[in-house]
Amino acid sequence: MAVFIRKHPLEIPPPSEKDWLKENEEDFFLQDPDRKHDALPQPFRMINKLVMLVFENAMEIIERREMLREAQKLKVQPAKCFPTAEFQVTGRANCLAVSGKYVFVGLSMGLYAFKVSDCKEVCAWDAVKTEICAIHASDLGSERHILLAVDEMGLVWLFCFHKESFLLIKILNEMEDISKRSTCVEVVLSPGGDYAGVLLQGNTKAWLEIYRLPKDSWLKETEKNPGAAAGLACRERRSSWTSAESPVSANKADAKLSLPVLLLKVKPPKPITGSSFKSPVDALKKVDDGSMLGLGYNHLIKDSQWEQQEAIFCSTYREYLEAEGERESKEEIPRRATFHFLLPSRILQVGPEMKVQPDVAAGISVHWDGSHNLCLYLLNRPLKEKLDSDPKPDVVWPCAAPIACSAVSSCSRYLALACEDATITIWDKHLGYPLSVTAILEERLIRSIHFLRSSAAASDETPCPGTDPACPTVQLLVLCTDSSFYLVKAPGAGKSSITLLADRPEDPNLAVSAVVPVLAFPSAALVFSWNGTVSLMNTATSQIVYCFSTPPSHAVASPWQPVFIVDSVNWCLLLRGDEQQQADAMAQSRASHSTIFLFDFNSYPLKEAFPKEPDLPLKSLQNLPWIERCNIFLRDRQQSLLELRKQLPEYWSRLQAQAAAMDKERQKVKGQKKP
C-alpha cells in the first residue's frame, strides 16, 4: 500500500483577506466593541455585502420616489371633470364613431346607433352575429350617413344609415372562395364621404383599394323610394334573419342602392433589381414624362454591379455587421401602408379640363413601411373597363430615410412627414414648398405625429376645408416610442422651433398609450396613460389643466388601448369604462355590457384655460383666381426672404469664425511639419 509522506511541516497559511481582524489591536474595543462578535467568514461576508448593496439601492429608489411624490403634491393638481352623461350597451364595446348627431358603437355582437343629445338607442344591427372591431363614419347630409365597419374576420361592411336604420350596401372584400379571401388592415373615409380606402392583406401580399362612393346617387335613390330604407328596419330584419344565413345572403338582400366603383388598386413598390436595358435609349423609352421623379426602376445598373457593391460594403463593415447578427430576410412579406386623402392643392397638379371642387378629395398619399418614397395618386381618373393592375404614381417624393409616420392637418393644407432618423418635414401643399424641416437631436424613434389647432386659427366654428387664417403658426405634436412628446412650431415666416413637453416617465404606469388633438380648443391635446388617467394638456404652457375621470365605481377600459372618440362638432369626448371588478382581461372579455361615458366640453370652464387670439379673416385659395393665388405666393415668398435677410449677418459671422478657425488649424499643422 502506497504511503504519502509530507515533505514540509504543517503550517497555518497566511491570511488571504486584507480586512481580517487582527488580535494584536489593543484599542479595537474602543472603536466597536460588538464588531468582534459580528465578524463573518467567507462566503458569508460577500453575501452580507451583496444584501447591503441591494438594500441601499432599494432605499435610494424609495427616497427618489418619495421626492417625486412630494414634488407632485406641491404642484397644482388639475381639476377633475366627471362625465355629464352615460349609457350602457349590451356586450363589449370595441370601437366608436361619431357622425352628425349620432354615435355608432361597434360591439361584440353587432352595431348600435345612439343619439348624442340624449344618449338614447336609435337602432341596432346584429343580423349575422359578428363582432365589429373598427368603424368609420361620415355625414352625407340630408340625414344620411355612410359607415364602414370591419368585423373580426377582416370583412369590410358598407352601410348607409338613413331614417334611423342601417342599410347594408355591400361587403367590399367578399370572396366566395374562403382560401382567396383577404383581410382588412385599415379603412379610411375621405372628407365628405366621396371616396373610401381599404388596405387589404392576403397570404403573401398586400395592396390598397380606392373606391368611389356614389353618394349623389344614394341621395336620389333614397328620395325616390323612401320606403325601401324604412322597410328594412333593423329590429325587423334581425328577427327575420336566422343564424344559419350567411353574410352573402344578407348582402344580396340589402343591395338596393348603387354599388361603389373600384377606382384604384395600389400595390407596394417592388424591390429594385438589376437593369435589363442594353442602352440608355431603351431606358428612356420606358419613361413617360421627364418632369418628375420616379420610383427608380428605369436605371442602367447591372446585377453584377449590385453584387460587387454589396461585397465591398460587407468587407468594409464586416465587424459591424457581425455585431448586429444575421441580416434580415429579403423574402417579400405583407406590409402595412399609411395613406391620407388630400384636397386640391399646388402639389396635386390637375389638368384644366378636369373640374375639381375645393371640398372634395383630389388625390391620395401613400407610403409603405420601410419605404423612402411618398407616392401621390390623382383620384380624378376616367373609369376604365379594365383596371390598371400596377398604376404609376403621379408624384413621387423621395426622402433621405424611411418614412415612419405622416399626418394631414384638419384643413388639409399641411402635410407632415416623420422619418426613422427623427427628421420632421412640414409641407405647405397650397404653396408647394416645405414650411419647416426639424429633427429631434436625441436618439428617439417617432411613434405618431398630430396637427394641433393654433390659437390664431381658433374660433367658435370649425373652418371649412381648404380655408386657413393668414400667416398661421403650424403646431405639430410628436409622440415618441418612449412616451416622450415634443411640440414643433412652424411659423409662416421665420425659424421653426421644437420644444420638449414631457420627457420619458420613470414610472412605467405613466407611459403614454395615445395622444389625440382637441380641435375645439387651441393648443389642446388629450393624453391617455397606462394607469387609466385621461389628461387635457395645454401644449402652449406644457401644463395639465384638466383630468377626465370616470366615476369611482368604474375605470377606463383597456387603458393601454383605450376606446374613445373626440367629437369636434358637438364638442364632447366619448370614453368606454368598465366596472372595477372587471379590471382584468378575462373579466373584460366576459363582460355582458359596457358603459360609454360622455364628457361635454361646454359643461366645463375649458375656454378659460385656452384663451384664443382674435380671429383672423379666413381665405380660401381654391376659390381665388390664378392671379390672386400668384400674388399671395409672391407675398409669402417675399416675407420669407425678408426673414432670411435678417439672418444672413448671423450666418456670415458663423462662416467667418469657422474659416478663421480652419485657417488657424492649417497654420498650426504647417508649423509642426517644419523641422
Side-chain angles (χ1 to χ4, degrees), residues 278-294:
K278 297 181 180 180
S279 64
V281 179
D282 297 338
L284 291 174
K285 290 181 181 179
K286 293 292 183 179
V287 180
D288 297 332
D289 187 7
S291 62
M292 59 167 286
L293 296 173

Side-chain angles (χ1 to χ4, degrees), residues 172-393:
L172 297 182
N173 58 334
E174 180 184 10
M175 295 291 292
E176 295 182 359
D177 189 357
I178 300 179
S179 61
K180 298 181 180 180
R181 180 178 295 176
S182 57
T183 59
C184 175
V185 179
E186 186 179 0
V187 293
V188 175
L189 275 173
S190 66
D194 296 275
Y195 299 93
V198 182
L199 180 62
L200 301 172
Q201 281 189 358
N203 295 328
T204 58
K205 56 184 179 180
W207 65 94
L208 174 64
E209 293 182 354
I210 306 299
Y211 290 87
R212 179 178 294 171
L213 305 180
K215 66 175 188 178
D216 296 334
S217 301
W218 293 342
L219 296 177
K220 294 179 182 179
E221 292 168 357
T222 52
E223 288 177 358
K224 290 181 180 179
N225 191 9
L232 291 171
C234 301
R235 293 296 182 185
E236 296 177 2
R237 288 190 290 111
R238 183 180 59 180
S239 60
S240 61
W241 287 0
T242 60
S243 59
E245 289 180 321
S246 63
V248 179
S249 63
N251 186 19
K252 293 180 180 179
D254 284 1
K256 297 181 180 298
L257 300 180
S258 299
L259 299 179
V261 180
L262 180 59
L263 183 65
L264 198 64
K265 187 175 181 180
V266 181
K267 297 180 180 179
K270 301 177 183 178
I272 299 177
T273 58
S275 175
S276 59
F277 302 118
K278 297 181 180 180
S279 64
V281 179
D282 297 338
L284 291 174
K285 290 181 181 179
K286 293 292 183 179
V287 180
D288 297 332
D289 187 7
S291 62
M292 59 167 286
L293 296 173
L295 295 175
Y297 296 136
N298 300 327
H299 59 84
L300 296 175
I301 303 177
K302 301 294 184 180
D303 286 329
S304 58
Q305 294 175 314
W306 287 113
E307 295 174 0
Q308 184 180 4
Q309 184 68 22
E310 182 76 11
I312 294 174
F313 179 83
C314 292
S315 61
T316 306
Y317 302 99
R318 180 178 301 172
E319 54 179 338
Y320 301 102
L321 295 176
E322 292 177 354
E324 292 181 359
E326 297 182 359
R327 304 188 67 177
E328 296 181 358
S329 176
K330 295 184 179 180
E331 296 181 0
E332 187 177 355
I333 58 176
R335 298 190 297 172
R336 292 183 59 91
T338 304
F339 56 99
H340 306 278
F341 287 97
L342 307 176
L343 296 180
S345 62
R346 293 180 59 87
I347 293 176
L348 295 172
Q349 297 291 342
V350 296
E353 68 279 359
M354 295 184 181
K355 296 182 180 181
V356 296
Q357 300 179 9
D359 56 346
V360 177
I364 185 171
S365 66
V366 184
H367 65 85
W368 298 83
D369 287 357
S371 176
H372 293 246
N373 299 322
L374 177 71
C375 301
L376 305 178
Y377 299 86
L378 290 176
L379 297 178
N380 296 321
R381 298 171 177 264
L383 296 178
K384 301 179 181 179
E385 295 181 359
K386 186 177 181 181
L387 191 67
D388 191 358
S389 59
D390 192 9
K392 296 181 180 179

Side-chain angles (χ1 to χ4, degrees), residues 583-613:
D584 57 295
M586 294 297 294
Q588 287 185 12
S589 62
R590 297 190 303 266
S592 59
H593 64 274
S594 299
T595 305
I596 308 298
F597 295 99
L598 189 144
F599 299 86
D600 187 4
F601 294 154
N602 296 317
S603 302
Y604 316 113
L606 300 182
K607 291 185 178 181
E608 301 175 359
F610 298 95
K612 64 183 182 67
E613 298 177 0

Side-chain angles (χ1 to χ4, degrees), residues 99 138-146 161-162 192 215 219:
S99 179
S138 180
D139 190 356
L140 301 181
S142 302
E143 297 295 328
R144 295 169 179 84
H145 306 268
I146 186 68
F161 185 78
H162 176 52
K215 66 175 188 178
L219 296 177

Side-chain angles (χ1 to χ4, degrees), residues 517-645:
V518 181
L519 300 181
F521 304 101
S523 306
L526 281 174
V527 182
F528 294 82
S529 302
W530 278 39
N531 59 355
T533 59
V534 183
S535 307
L536 182 63
M537 171 181 282
N538 187 353
T539 58
T541 59
S542 304
Q543 298 294 329
I544 302 296
V545 292
Y546 286 97
C547 285
F548 296 100
S549 303
T550 57
S553 59
H554 289 72
V556 176
S558 60
W560 57 90
Q561 193 176 2
V563 179
F564 70 96
I565 187 69
V566 178
D567 187 1
S568 301
V569 178
N570 300 308
W571 286 27
C572 63
L573 166 67
L574 293 165
L575 178 65
R576 172 193 159 191
D578 291 339
E579 295 182 3
Q580 290 287 358
Q581 58 266 24
Q582 299 176 358
D584 57 295
M586 294 297 294
Q588 287 185 12
S589 62
R590 297 190 303 266
S592 59
H593 64 274
S594 299
T595 305
I596 308 298
F597 295 99
L598 189 144
F599 299 86
D600 187 4
F601 294 154
N602 296 317
S603 302
Y604 316 113
L606 300 182
K607 291 185 178 181
E608 301 175 359
F610 298 95
K612 64 183 182 67
E613 298 177 0
D615 296 336
L616 297 175
L618 299 178
K619 59 178 181 180
S620 178
L621 295 179
Q622 301 299 326
N623 298 329
L624 295 178
W626 283 104
I627 297 178
E628 296 187 15
R629 292 194 194 186
C630 294
N631 292 334
I632 294 174
F633 176 75
L634 293 175
R635 185 174 65 251
D636 293 342
R637 293 293 294 174
Q638 185 179 6
Q639 291 180 357
S640 62
L641 288 176
L642 292 176
E643 293 293 332
L644 182 61
R645 191 175 300 172

